[in-house]
Amino acid sequence: MRKKLRAKICLLAGALLCVAPQSWAAAPSARAHDEAMADPAYQVLVFSKTAGFRHSSIDDGIAALRDLGAANNFTVTATEDAQAFAAGNLAQYEAIVFLSTTGDVMNGTQQAAMEQYIEEGGGYVGVHAAADTEYEWPFYEGLAGALFHSHPAVQQATVEVEDRAHDATAHLGRTWQRTDEWYNYRTDPRATAHVLASLDESSYSGGNMNGDHPIAWCKDYAGGRAFYTGGGHTDESYADPAFRRHLLGGIRWAAGMTEADCRPETGYRPLFDGTGTSGWKQAGPGGFTLADGTLTSHGGLGMYWYQAEELTGDYSLKLDWKVSGDDNSGVLVGFPASDDPWSAVDNGYEIQIDATDTPDRTTGSVYGFQSADTAARDAALNPPGEWNTYEIRVTGERLELFLNGRKINDFTNTDPARSLKQGHIGIQNHGDGDEAAFRDIRVKQSGGGTPGQRSGAVKGVNGKCLDVDGAQTADGTEIQLWTCNNTSAQTWTTTGTGTGALKALGKCLDVSGGATADGTRIQLWTCNNTAAQTWTPQPDGTLRNPRSGKCLDASGGTWNDGTPVHLWTCHTGPNQKWTLP
């Protein structure tokens, strides 16, 4: 395995105390980090041989990379001599940049040396026409991620930034207006690479990738790391501070100076995407400030929790986080609805963010229950000032935690008073002086999740809530009205977009026996996708079962705690009006 200089130094110093950059200057002449916080010195090879079209911007690109190296502690060796690709020579470089190479630029021996370099942990950075290179070398196509198909004229387009945690894109906003030559690719790299940014094909002319048009991505490949950006055709690109910072982040990641989750990612839906906080609620003192698509904590101890939905069943929760120093925060999962932040701590589980504490209370631990694998954690952790990505993967009562794509904890709940199978999620604001920032909170549920899905109380007549009797989960449990109390027995999940099931406690609202007669019992039952479990919200506020054409009805003429609900001919009276989450 190739050495990773930064990781090695951090481990010697104690990774959690390893000093690292806390802010990044965009201007090309400014140092990316303070003198005392610089990456360890390393070397980068820039290869720009062309056997096809030659870009006039190559010279500007080399000059920009030399400037970046001088400001960020790496040395650039630029060459167009493919004889540099010899195993003994490549070993000195932490990353190799293919700068707008074109055509067949390497022979078989040189290709073999490059393959060995990657397999031993080397880093690849492809810029623009690097995708127009080595079409007959399958290893290279996998390394680059996708190969060139065609391009329209140089023009401005909107770049949609999909990942704002990776060092190559964390400095950007949600969108980035750029003028460049926008490549179309022969294949979509999304299935095999982690897409960092894509093009809005409606913002320019000539895109042919059917609306899914990645333009920058990263991936772990054959033992090494690969980063590609489609930008960089124009001379002006290399004078653009934002593009230069984009290149720097790609080089730093490929060289192992920073970590990121570069696994392919599909099927997630946002709980917080930076544009607003609908569905979120503060519990306890302090709170979070929203700016630049980022939630930043202040005061506390409190919690910002997603009250709009209780996650049930198996799911993967991802979010990006950053601290500025030895700050304390955490991600809470599996807790019942509550405006008391301590209820979440006492009834759910906290995935800790804190640099210095006991092993079961430091970053990556399940707070108070299980320490992270500290060696794996230290190798994966970015220090204060840099973004990290957590994946919290819940399967039944098992919780697996991934930090920047590496598994660092594997915990199984055995406490009968707690359950990971259902509950809300939240982020903690720990107290004065503890500042933590969060971006891009997203979830993928078993089967990919349901877009538009919402969870919360279903409220009916007299302001009372639809309730599972005694919070029992046995098939046939009665459904009733009860004073609203924010418990899981009153937390229902709906698609929120029309006809579908209503779920609570992992089971479905069901018409007993699929019958259609007035007075048919409504119960909780194992979900089975039948017509007896299908409900359609109507514009008049009623909730109709399409099979029977009848409505969910609170029985009788007075409605108190314990009043059962049943099926009844629709009449739009107050006992048939329901407010969904």
Side-chain angles (χ1 to χ4, degrees):
M1 292 296 291
R2 291 177 57 79
K3 62 185 179 296
K4 293 299 180 188
L5 298 175
R6 177 173 172 275
K8 184 176 181 180
I9 289 177
C10 287
L11 287 171
L12 289 173
L16 290 175
L17 299 177
C18 181
V19 183
Q22 301 201 14
S23 64
W24 293 92
S29 60
R31 293 193 63 83
H33 12 352
D34 296 338
E35 294 287 345
M37 297 181 179
D39 291 332
Y42 61 101
Q43 297 188 67
V44 171
L45 178 66
V46 177
F47 183 55
S48 56
K49 182 179 179 179
T50 57
F53 180 84
R54 184 169 183 83
H55 286 73
S56 64
S57 60
I58 288 175
D59 290 342
D60 293 296
I62 292 172
L65 292 170
R66 290 191 190 280
D67 286 347
L68 288 171
N72 294 278
N73 216 24
F74 62 87
T75 301
V76 168
T77 299
T79 186
E80 298 202 353
D81 185 356
Q83 293 186 57
F85 288 82
N89 185 52
L90 295 183
Q92 65 186 302
Y93 300 108
E94 295 299 317
I96 300 174
V97 179
F98 278 55
L99 179 61
S100 283
T101 50
T102 56
D104 186 359
V105 292
M106 301 166 70
N107 65 30
T109 301
Q110 294 155 358
Q111 291 174 355
M114 181 65 178
E115 291 185 17
Q116 180 181 343
Y117 168 81
I118 294 296
E119 290 165 355
E120 292 178 351
Y124 162 89
V125 175
V127 180
H128 192 56
D132 189 21
T133 302
E134 293 291 348
Y135 289 91
E136 304 303 319
W137 181 16
F139 182 91
Y140 184 82
E141 181 177 2
L143 183 67
L147 295 177
F148 169 80
H149 174 269
S150 60
H151 68 78
V154 173
Q155 59 193 293
Q156 181 173 289
T158 299
V159 179
E160 297 178 332
V161 180
E162 298 189 22
D163 183 326
R164 298 189 66 208
H166 193 285
D167 197 48
T169 46
H171 65 295
L172 300 170
R174 289 174 50 81
T175 59
W176 186 18
Q177 300 299 320
R178 289 205 69 243
T179 296
D180 216 315
E181 182 183 72
W182 301 114
Y183 277 7
N184 299 307
Y185 300 96
R186 297 185 177 192
T187 56
D188 187 338
R190 191 178 295 275
T192 59
H194 178 72
V195 176
L196 303 174
S198 56
L199 293 176
D200 177 358
E201 289 192 333
S202 69
S203 69
Y204 73 105
S205 299
N208 70 358
M209 295 185 68
N210 300 315
D212 184 15
H213 196 140
I215 198 64
W217 54 81
C218 61
K219 64 192 300 188
D220 296 313
Y221 185 73
R225 298 183 177 197
F227 169 89
Y228 173 83
T229 179
H233 171 83
T234 66
D235 298 353
E236 293 79 8
S237 293
Y238 298 98
D240 175 9
F243 186 71
R244 291 169 71 123
R245 183 63 189 84
H246 178 59
L247 288 177
L248 173 62
I251 291 169
R252 291 190 73 235
W253 177 79
M257 300 297 134
T258 188
E259 299 298 322
D261 188 347
C262 283
R263 297 173 297 169
E265 182 174 314
T266 58
Y268 286 80
R269 57 185 175 87
L271 303 182
F272 167 72
D273 65 3
T275 60
T277 56
S278 176
W280 291 84
K281 186 178 182 182
Q282 179 65 28
F288 285 82
T289 301
L290 173 59
D292 187 30
T294 305
L295 290 169
T296 303
S297 68
H298 60 85
L301 188 146
M303 174 187 65
Y304 205 42
W305 65 290
Y306 193 61
Q307 66 162 350
E309 178 180 351
E310 182 180 48
L311 298 181
T312 59
D314 300 343
Y315 64 88
S316 166
L317 176 71
K318 282 191 175 185
L319 51 80
D320 306 326
W321 60 268
K322 179 176 72 170
V323 293
S324 56
D326 182 15
D327 300 286
N328 192 320
S329 185
V331 183
L332 297 125
V333 298
F335 60 89
S338 176
D339 284 331
D340 178 4
W342 287 107
S343 176
V345 174
D346 294 339
N347 297 289
Y349 287 104
E350 179 184 354
I351 309 306
Q352 180 71 330
I353 298 170
D354 183 10
T356 53
D357 208 328
T358 58
D360 65 339
R361 297 184 177 187
T362 60
T363 297
S365 66
V366 180
Y367 183 85
F369 289 88
Q370 182 166 295
S371 171
D373 177 336
T374 54
R377 188 270 317 279
D378 292 353
L381 180 66
N382 287 325
E386 297 188 32
W387 288 93
N388 291 277
T389 298
Y390 268 166
E391 180 194 2
I392 300 168
R393 186 184 299 172
V394 171
T395 309
E397 295 292 355
R398 181 185 184 188
L399 185 155
E400 298 169 272
L401 178 63
F402 298 79
L403 172 64
N404 295 322
R406 299 189 190 184
K407 188 172 177 178
I408 64 167
N409 210 331
D410 194 335
F411 170 78
T412 298
N413 170 51
T414 57
D415 183 349
R418 305 175 194 239
S419 179
L420 289 165
K421 294 181 179 179
Q422 63 187 60
H424 291 269
I425 66 101
I427 52 178
Q428 186 183 78
N429 55 299
H430 190 267
D432 292 333
D434 286 312
E435 182 180 286
F438 295 88
R439 284 179 173 171
D440 196 12
I441 304 173
R442 64 263 195 208
V443 68
K444 178 168 69 173
Q445 291 175 275
S446 183
T450 305
Q453 189 178 73
R454 299 183 65 84
S455 291
V458 175
K459 295 185 178 180
V461 64
N462 290 347
K464 293 186 180 292
C465 282
L466 195 65
D467 179 279
V468 179
D469 185 18
Q472 301 175 75
T473 59
D475 283 350
T477 298
E478 183 175 81
I479 307 300
Q480 60 186 4
L481 288 182
W482 201 270
T483 300
C484 298
N485 53 29
N486 291 321
T487 64
S488 57
Q490 297 181 356
T491 302
W492 297 88
T493 300
T494 174
T495 62
T497 57
T499 300
L502 271 173
K503 299 180 181 180
L505 301 172
K507 294 193 174 182
C508 282
L509 188 73
D510 179 277
V511 179
S512 179
T516 60
D518 282 354
T520 298
R521 169 189 174 89
I522 302 296
Q523 60 189 2
L524 197 70
W525 200 268
T526 300
C527 297
N528 54 28
N529 294 316
T530 65
Q533 297 180 354
T534 300
W535 301 91
T536 302
Q538 302 296 312
D540 59 12
T542 60
L543 194 59
R544 187 170 299 177
N545 171 243
R547 175 188 177 92
S548 63
K550 295 186 176 182
C551 284
L552 184 68
D553 179 285
S555 63
T558 59
W559 305 285
N560 302 306
D561 285 353
T563 296
V565 295
H566 59 195
L567 197 68
W568 202 265
T569 299
C570 298
H571 55 66
T572 70
N575 60 321
Q576 291 189 350
K577 298 289 184 71
W578 305 93
T579 301
L580 299 179

